[in-house]
């Protein structure tokens, strides 16, 4: 699948047919001697801690961007918890109140960034 100078094309084609295979899962060109290792390291099914079955080669991306158990930080208190618990936690955490040093009123944590504009 690469551009080859015409003068080298026949030799290149012979070499490829003898030594290269196209992976049936990802369509990558892989040396025949490494195909078994490629399939075992990239395409074998593994189970994530969230119980999703996924190809081993895709696990890292899943764990960082899609796994419901990936770590997440609360925007209000900065504690780390599982992503699937974040929304409920932030609803509770943002509803806590703190006393405003300017006006003395109790302000919900979720409103603290906007409060200085209307304070007093």
């Amino acid at each position: 699948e690469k551009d080859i100078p015409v003068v080298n094309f026949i030799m290149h084609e012979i070499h490829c047919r003898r030594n290269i295979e196209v992976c049936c899962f990802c369509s990558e060109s892989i040396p025949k001697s490494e195909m078994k290792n490629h399939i075992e390291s990239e395409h074998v099914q593994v189970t994530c801690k969230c119980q999703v079955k996924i190809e081993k080669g895709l696990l890292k991306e899943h764990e960082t961007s899609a796994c419901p158990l990936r770590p997440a930080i609360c925007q209000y208190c900065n504690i780390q918890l599982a992503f699937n618990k974040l929304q409920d936690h932030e609803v509770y955490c943002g509803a806590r109140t703190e006393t405003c040093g300017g006006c003395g009123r109790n302000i919900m944590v979720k409103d603290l960034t906007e409060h200085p504009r209307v304070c007093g």
Side-chain angles (χ1 to χ4, degrees), residues 22-97:
V22 175
C23 176
C24 60
F25 297 104
C26 65
S27 301
E28 273 189 55
S29 297
I30 308 291
K32 285 183 180 182
S33 62
E34 296 175 21
M35 184 58 75
K36 182 180 178 196
N37 184 45
H38 169 77
I39 290 173
E40 289 173 357
S41 67
E42 297 296 321
H43 302 298
V44 69
Q45 293 284 310
V46 294
T47 304
C48 177
K49 60 188 170 194
C50 70
Q51 303 307 310
V52 166
K53 290 192 182 292
I54 192 165
E55 283 187 11
K56 187 175 180 180
L58 302 174
L59 183 62
K60 288 276 188 236
E61 182 181 340
H62 167 78
E63 288 176 332
T64 59
S65 63
C67 181
L69 299 179
R70 69 187 180 273
I73 304 292
C74 173
Q75 64 179 316
Y76 304 119
C77 67
N78 292 320
I79 68 164
Q80 181 175 308
L81 58 157
F83 181 80
N84 63 350
K85 307 274 189 221
L86 182 64
Q87 186 174 7
D88 288 342
H89 171 82
E90 285 186 338
V91 167
Y92 164 79
C93 194
R96 292 178 300 116
T97 60

